[in-house]
mmCIF file of all heavy atoms in Angstrom:
data_model
loop_
_atom_site.group_PDB
_atom_site.id
_atom_site.type_symbol
_atom_site.label_atom_id
_atom_site.label_comp_id
_atom_site.label_asym_id
_atom_site.label_seq_id
_atom_site.Cartn_x
_atom_site.Cartn_y
_atom_site.Cartn_z
ATOM 1 N N PRO W 27 229.176 7.644 247.801
ATOM 2 C CA PRO W 27 227.743 7.431 247.528
ATOM 3 C C PRO W 27 226.833 7.664 248.713
ATOM 4 O O PRO W 27 225.702 8.159 248.620
ATOM 5 C CB PRO W 27 227.689 6.045 246.975
ATOM 6 C CG PRO W 27 228.899 5.387 247.564
ATOM 7 C CD PRO W 27 229.953 6.420 247.550
ATOM 8 N N ILE W 28 227.329 7.251 249.942
ATOM 9 C CA ILE W 28 226.514 7.457 251.149
ATOM 10 C C ILE W 28 226.406 8.907 251.527
ATOM 11 O O ILE W 28 225.309 9.365 251.827
ATOM 12 C CB ILE W 28 227.124 6.570 252.287
ATOM 13 C CG1 ILE W 28 227.075 5.068 251.902
ATOM 14 C CG2 ILE W 28 226.326 6.886 253.612
ATOM 15 C CD1 ILE W 28 227.605 4.184 252.941
ATOM 16 N N ASP W 29 227.513 9.599 251.339
ATOM 17 C CA ASP W 29 227.426 11.054 251.663
ATOM 18 C C ASP W 29 226.496 11.806 250.729
ATOM 19 O O ASP W 29 225.749 12.740 251.074
ATOM 20 C CB ASP W 29 228.789 11.746 251.614
ATOM 21 C CG ASP W 29 229.679 11.230 252.805
ATOM 22 O OD1 ASP W 29 229.128 10.794 253.809
ATOM 23 O OD2 ASP W 29 230.892 11.264 252.680
ATOM 24 N N PHE W 30 226.571 11.365 249.413
ATOM 25 C CA PHE W 30 225.658 11.985 248.423
ATOM 26 C C PHE W 30 224.223 11.754 248.805
ATOM 27 O O PHE W 30 223.363 12.647 248.533
ATOM 28 C CB PHE W 30 225.984 11.401 247.059
ATOM 29 C CG PHE W 30 225.113 11.893 245.979
ATOM 30 C CD1 PHE W 30 225.241 13.133 245.447
ATOM 31 C CD2 PHE W 30 224.014 11.147 245.552
ATOM 32 C CE1 PHE W 30 224.357 13.631 244.419
ATOM 33 C CE2 PHE W 30 223.168 11.581 244.500
ATOM 34 C CZ PHE W 30 223.336 12.819 244.016
ATOM 35 N N MET W 31 223.918 10.543 249.360
ATOM 36 C CA MET W 31 222.514 10.286 249.762
ATOM 37 C C MET W 31 221.991 11.204 250.762
ATOM 38 O O MET W 31 220.784 11.482 250.848
ATOM 39 C CB MET W 31 222.466 8.817 250.281
ATOM 40 C CG MET W 31 221.063 8.359 250.510
ATOM 41 S SD MET W 31 219.951 8.407 249.069
ATOM 42 C CE MET W 31 220.703 7.075 248.151
ATOM 43 N N ALA W 32 222.897 11.840 251.548
ATOM 44 C CA ALA W 32 222.444 12.837 252.600
ATOM 45 C C ALA W 32 221.775 14.080 251.884
ATOM 46 O O ALA W 32 220.949 14.794 252.478
ATOM 47 C CB ALA W 32 223.552 13.219 253.426
ATOM 48 N N LEU W 33 222.245 14.346 250.669
ATOM 49 C CA LEU W 33 221.699 15.421 249.925
ATOM 50 C C LEU W 33 220.374 15.126 249.225
ATOM 51 O O LEU W 33 219.569 15.994 249.031
ATOM 52 C CB LEU W 33 222.745 15.925 248.859
ATOM 53 C CG LEU W 33 224.103 16.282 249.367
ATOM 54 C CD1 LEU W 33 224.944 16.693 248.226
ATOM 55 C CD2 LEU W 33 223.974 17.496 250.354
ATOM 56 N N VAL W 34 220.245 13.795 248.966
ATOM 57 C CA VAL W 34 219.042 13.451 248.183
ATOM 58 C C VAL W 34 217.982 12.950 249.036
ATOM 59 O O VAL W 34 216.731 13.259 248.908
ATOM 60 C CB VAL W 34 219.430 12.235 247.218
ATOM 61 C CG1 VAL W 34 218.282 11.759 246.406
ATOM 62 C CG2 VAL W 34 220.557 12.767 246.244
ATOM 63 N N ASP W 35 218.279 12.049 250.062
ATOM 64 C CA ASP W 35 217.265 11.475 250.945
ATOM 65 C C ASP W 35 217.902 11.247 252.275
ATOM 66 O O ASP W 35 218.644 10.326 252.455
ATOM 67 C CB ASP W 35 216.835 10.105 250.293
ATOM 68 C CG ASP W 35 215.623 9.575 251.059
ATOM 69 O OD1 ASP W 35 215.515 9.762 252.242
ATOM 70 O OD2 ASP W 35 214.780 8.824 250.403
ATOM 71 N N ARG W 36 217.544 12.088 253.293
ATOM 72 C CA ARG W 36 218.124 12.043 254.578
ATOM 73 C C ARG W 36 217.736 10.800 255.369
ATOM 74 O O ARG W 36 218.409 10.344 256.284
ATOM 75 C CB ARG W 36 217.778 13.318 255.344
ATOM 76 C CG ARG W 36 218.419 14.577 254.682
ATOM 77 C CD ARG W 36 217.960 15.792 255.436
ATOM 78 N NE ARG W 36 218.459 15.841 256.752
ATOM 79 C CZ ARG W 36 218.062 16.731 257.649
ATOM 80 N NH1 ARG W 36 217.189 17.658 257.359
ATOM 81 N NH2 ARG W 36 218.579 16.737 258.861
ATOM 82 N N ILE W 37 216.592 10.208 255.098
ATOM 83 C CA ILE W 37 216.203 9.026 255.778
ATOM 84 C C ILE W 37 217.052 7.863 255.318
ATOM 85 O O ILE W 37 217.585 7.098 256.127
ATOM 86 C CB ILE W 37 214.651 8.730 255.481
ATOM 87 C CG1 ILE W 37 213.793 9.757 256.126
ATOM 88 C CG2 ILE W 37 214.268 7.295 255.951
ATOM 89 C CD1 ILE W 37 212.341 9.613 255.796
ATOM 90 N N ARG W 38 217.144 7.648 254.030
ATOM 91 C CA ARG W 38 218.049 6.600 253.466
ATOM 92 C C ARG W 38 219.512 6.794 253.833
ATOM 93 O O ARG W 38 220.212 5.812 254.043
ATOM 94 C CB ARG W 38 217.865 6.475 251.976
ATOM 95 C CG ARG W 38 216.525 5.837 251.543
ATOM 96 C CD ARG W 38 216.555 5.531 250.025
ATOM 97 N NE ARG W 38 215.435 4.758 249.618
ATOM 98 C CZ ARG W 38 214.255 5.194 249.341
ATOM 99 N NH1 ARG W 38 214.065 6.520 249.332
ATOM 100 N NH2 ARG W 38 213.278 4.397 248.972
ATOM 101 N N PHE W 39 219.905 8.053 253.936
ATOM 102 C CA PHE W 39 221.240 8.291 254.414
ATOM 103 C C PHE W 39 221.498 7.797 255.784
ATOM 104 O O PHE W 39 222.542 7.158 256.088
ATOM 105 C CB PHE W 39 221.547 9.827 254.434
ATOM 106 C CG PHE W 39 222.834 10.162 255.117
ATOM 107 C CD1 PHE W 39 223.994 9.949 254.509
ATOM 108 C CD2 PHE W 39 222.782 10.750 256.386
ATOM 109 C CE1 PHE W 39 225.236 10.311 255.133
ATOM 110 C CE2 PHE W 39 223.943 11.038 257.072
ATOM 111 C CZ PHE W 39 225.159 10.852 256.413
ATOM 112 N N GLY W 40 220.572 7.911 256.698
ATOM 113 C CA GLY W 40 220.705 7.367 258.051
ATOM 114 C C GLY W 40 220.739 5.887 258.040
ATOM 115 O O GLY W 40 221.577 5.281 258.719
ATOM 116 N N HIS W 41 219.856 5.234 257.224
ATOM 117 C CA HIS W 41 219.925 3.720 257.114
ATOM 118 C C HIS W 41 221.257 3.250 256.525
ATOM 119 O O HIS W 41 221.879 2.308 257.107
ATOM 120 C CB HIS W 41 218.791 3.260 256.169
ATOM 121 C CG HIS W 41 217.398 3.562 256.702
ATOM 122 N ND1 HIS W 41 216.302 3.593 255.961
ATOM 123 C CD2 HIS W 41 216.992 3.936 257.961
ATOM 124 C CE1 HIS W 41 215.275 3.910 256.677
ATOM 125 N NE2 HIS W 41 215.653 4.127 257.894
ATOM 126 N N GLN W 42 221.677 3.886 255.462
ATOM 127 C CA GLN W 42 222.931 3.390 254.817
ATOM 128 C C GLN W 42 224.192 3.669 255.683
ATOM 129 O O GLN W 42 225.058 2.856 255.721
ATOM 130 C CB GLN W 42 223.089 4.045 253.466
ATOM 131 C CG GLN W 42 221.942 3.617 252.470
ATOM 132 C CD GLN W 42 222.048 4.223 251.132
ATOM 133 O OE1 GLN W 42 223.034 4.951 250.816
ATOM 134 N NE2 GLN W 42 221.115 3.970 250.243
ATOM 135 N N SER W 43 224.206 4.821 256.388
ATOM 136 C CA SER W 43 225.330 5.056 257.298
ATOM 137 C C SER W 43 225.378 4.082 258.374
ATOM 138 O O SER W 43 226.441 3.597 258.786
ATOM 139 C CB SER W 43 225.215 6.515 257.855
ATOM 140 O OG SER W 43 225.288 7.494 256.795
ATOM 141 N N THR W 44 224.188 3.686 258.844
ATOM 142 C CA THR W 44 224.125 2.635 260.008
ATOM 143 C C THR W 44 224.739 1.352 259.524
ATOM 144 O O THR W 44 225.576 0.769 260.165
ATOM 145 C CB THR W 44 222.690 2.395 260.403
ATOM 146 O OG1 THR W 44 222.211 3.627 260.977
ATOM 147 C CG2 THR W 44 222.620 1.306 261.406
#
Side-chain angles (χ1 to χ4, degrees):
I28 296 179
D29 292 337
F30 176 77
M31 187 58 69
L33 304 176
V34 179
D35 189 329
R36 295 175 65 188
I37 293 176
R38 284 190 171 89
F39 168 75
H41 296 163
Q42 294 180 3
S43 297
T44 295

